[in-house]
């Protein structure tokens, strides 16, 4: 049951990360177009800035749960590595609780803002008038999946290696020369 839940959450967070990558690609195109329009035709767009402002938020936040789940997030582990094993486990629990708290706060506040923006018909500036509930919905989904990722993918017991995830290659096994976990049905981390 836990393995299925982990696989489902990992698949969702991976899809969110793919969307984040696509958003970055769209942002690159819109910025390029805006620069060309500004300098070649002296006609800057009124939509590139608001669109890319939302794009930065969306691309950043959608990737966070997957980065946590796969252990690829930025970590400051100089002090963590110097701690004895028991203290490291305590630090990992504190980090997980703090991440869950952040996810809950993000989900709750984004949901409230989303309801206000949707019922009020609030939109952004520019040609596209992006409905403001859309970025709030992204923040809500991110908060929910950040909590799920923190609970289902706790920090790895080893120092610098992400936890094994069904469906992903087991990085710890590869480093130790063992056969990698390739996501076979019924495999447990």
């Amino acid at each position: 049951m836990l393995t299925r839940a982990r696989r489902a959450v990992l698949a969702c967070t991976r899809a969110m990360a793919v969307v984040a990558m696509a958003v970055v690609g769209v942002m690159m195109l819109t910025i390029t177009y805006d620069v060309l329009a500004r300098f070649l035709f002296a006609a800057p767009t009124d939509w590139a800035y608001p669109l890319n402002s939302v794009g930065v938020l969306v691309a950043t936040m959608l990737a966070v749960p997957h980065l946590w789940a796969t252990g690829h997030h930025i970590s400051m582990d100089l002090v963590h590595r110097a701690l004895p094993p028991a203290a490291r486990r305590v630090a990992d629990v504190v980090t997980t609780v703090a991440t869950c708290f952040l996810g809950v706060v993000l989900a709750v506040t984004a949901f409230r803002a989303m309801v206000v923006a949707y019922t009020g018909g609030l939109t952004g500036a520019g040609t596209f008038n992006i409905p403001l509930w859309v970025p709030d919905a992204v923040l809500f989904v991110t908060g929910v999946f950040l909590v799920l990722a923190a609970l289902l993918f706790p920090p790895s017991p080893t120092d610098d290696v992400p936890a094994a995830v069904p469906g992903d290659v087991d990085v710890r096994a590869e480093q130790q020369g063992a056969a990698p976990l390739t996501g076979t049905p019924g495999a447990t981390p």
Side-chain angles (χ1 to χ4, degrees):
M1 179 67 179
L2 185 60
T3 300
R4 260 196 254 156
R6 290 180 77 193
R7 285 184 183 180
V9 168
L10 187 64
C12 289
T13 62
R14 184 178 291 129
M16 291 164 58
V18 168
V19 170
M21 289 185 274
V23 167
V24 170
V26 169
M27 287 173 52
M28 289 170 36
L29 293 174
T30 60
I31 290 170
T32 302
Y33 176 80
D34 188 46
V35 168
L36 292 174
R38 180 181 315 268
F39 289 106
L40 295 179
F41 308 115
T45 66
D46 70 337
W47 50 264
Y49 181 77
L51 187 68
N52 287 308
S53 296
V54 171
V56 167
L57 174 74
V58 168
T60 302
M61 296 310 294
L62 283 179
V64 169
H66 189 68
L67 294 173
W68 174 277
T70 58
H72 291 104
H73 53 86
I74 296 173
S75 63
M76 303 297 200
D77 61 353
L78 183 64
V79 174
H80 187 267
R81 280 194 237 164
L83 295 173
R88 267 189 253 149
R89 285 189 292 277
V90 169
D92 289 342
V93 169
V94 169
T95 302
T96 301
V97 169
T99 302
C100 285
F101 180 72
L102 172 66
V104 167
V105 168
L106 186 62
V108 169
T109 56
F111 182 78
R112 289 180 179 173
M114 181 177 62
V115 169
V116 168
Y118 184 78
T119 58
L122 302 176
T123 60
T127 303
F128 293 135
N129 293 327
I130 298 168
L132 293 181
W133 65 265
V134 173
D136 291 331
V138 169
L139 293 175
F140 171 71
V141 169
T142 296
V144 168
F145 276 96
L146 186 58
V147 170
L148 291 172
L151 294 174
L152 293 174
F153 299 93
S156 175
T158 58
D159 282 338
D160 300 320
V161 182
V165 177
D168 278 358
V169 174
D170 186 352
V171 178
R172 285 179 287 165
E174 276 189 350
Q175 287 182 346
Q176 296 167 358
L181 174 68
T182 58
T184 54
T188 57

